[in-house]
Structures are given as structure tokens and as C-alpha cells.
Amino acid sequence: MMSLKMLRHLVALSAMFLITMSTNKHGVANAYTFRPPLPGAPAAIKCARCTRSIGPGDVYLEAMNQLWHPQCLTCAACNKPLPEGAFIMDEQSQKPFCNPCFIHHHAERCGVCAKPLTGQCLTTFHWGDKYCVEHEQMEKCYCCGRPVCNTLTGGGVRYRDGRLVCNICMTQASPVDDQ
């Protein structure tokens, strides 16, 4: 039978639970819950990563329906402990990532400079190519409207009349006399 003193202690501990959430437009946001040490916790509770016991008096985390030592719940890429209780779950691998690593490994890339697209981006109307807003002033192909660059279109050709045609359109065009 639990004493009144022990019951009050457990109620005080339950008020210390810390839950933090983070939303991220690049993936599924998740959170973990800090769990304070519970007196008399069963020794059969094991950490999901190291499989060592989480014993009485140990602080542990609850995430992805499993229990973890705080140092064992880490980013799948950089292996650092996940900050501030939040992480992003990669839906394919089902592994947790910190925000910077998720962006680096999983964010869509600019078709011009290959940097991760994390904010606003531009999309070519018909082709669906995405690129950074900084590239908006780049010269566009006379035929398809894509920015002409080596990474996106393989470069291009400028005609004597000033038209710029990307190499994608050049390979699909029928030969024309340029005189």
C-alpha cells in the first residue's frame, strides 16, 4: 500500500513532465517527453538504443513509443542528442533527425545552385523546376522560360538576334538556318 507521502511525491514528479513540440515544413515534427525518475521503477525497463536498464532514479525519455536514456536518443545523421525535445522523423527510414541535418539530407534542392530550399522558392511554370529566389534575375530560355545555367539546362546558346536558348530546347529543336 502506498503512503500519503509517497503519493504526494509522485504527484509532484508528474507535474515536472516537460513536453515540447516543434513544427517543421520539411518533415513530420515529433516531440519527446522528459520523464523524471520514478521511485521503485521496475528494472525490466530497457533503453531502446543501448538496451541497458532504466532503473529507479534514472531520468529517461519517451519517444516513438519507446523509452530512452537522454544521451541515447540522437540524430540519425550527426549522432548528437536531439535538442530541446524535438526532432523530425524521416518517413521513409523512420529515423529521427535534428532540424539542420534533416534539411541537409532531405530538403529539396535548388536546380541552379543545389542549396537546400528552406524558404520561398520559384518554380518554372510548365516544367516544375524549383530554384532559389536569388536566381530570379537570371536570363531565361527564349523557348521554355527556364533559367539558363549548367546545372539546370546544361547551359545554352545565344543567337545573333539576342535570343538565349537552353541546351535542353536546343536538343529538341529542329535544325534552323541562323542567318
Side-chain angles (χ1 to χ4, degrees):
M1 181 136 220
M2 191 177 297
S3 71
L4 184 58
K5 184 178 178 180
M6 181 63 117
L7 184 58
R8 284 184 184 148
H9 182 68
L10 286 175
V11 169
L13 284 175
S14 67
M16 292 174 18
F17 286 19
L18 171 66
I19 302 173
T20 57
M21 278 297 293
S22 173
T23 57
N24 188 295
K25 60 186 167 197
H26 302 291
V28 178
N30 287 281
Y32 58 74
T33 305
F34 279 102
R35 298 290 186 189
L38 294 176
I45 297 174
K46 304 244 184 240
C47 173
R49 181 172 183 182
C50 72
T51 67
R52 289 186 314 220
S53 293
I54 299 173
D58 289 346
V59 173
Y60 63 96
L61 308 175
E62 184 175 347
M64 301 177 291
N65 296 321
Q66 296 177 322
L67 303 177
W68 309 75
H69 292 114
Q71 68 275 11
C72 290
L73 183 59
T74 60
C75 172
C78 68
N79 212 29
K80 292 179 183 172
L82 294 168
E84 301 174 13
F87 61 92
I88 302 167
M89 178 71 77
D90 175 37
E91 291 181 328
Q92 288 182 327
S93 69
Q94 291 297 300
K95 293 182 179 179
F97 287 85
C98 62
N99 191 47
C101 287
F102 188 84
I103 289 171
H104 178 73
H105 292 284
H106 298 286
E108 286 187 282
R109 301 279 171 173
C110 172
V112 174
C113 67
K115 289 181 182 174
L117 295 171
T118 58
Q120 290 183 339
C121 67
L122 302 171
T123 305
T124 54
F125 177 68
H126 182 69
W127 310 104
D129 300 314
K130 293 184 178 183
Y131 54 97
C132 300
V133 176
E134 297 88 51
H135 307 305
E136 184 174 23
Q137 300 304 317
M138 287 182 70
E139 289 189 274
K140 309 288 190 291
C141 174
Y142 177 80
C143 298
C144 69
R146 290 178 172 144
V148 177
C149 63
N150 285 331
T151 55
L152 191 60
T153 61
V157 175
R158 183 172 305 280
Y159 288 99
R160 289 184 210 156
D161 64 1
R163 290 178 295 148
L164 180 62
V165 179
C166 74
N167 284 340
I168 293 173
C169 291
M170 287 294 295
T171 59
Q172 296 173 354
S174 57
V176 184
D177 187 7
D178 183 35
Q179 302 209 354

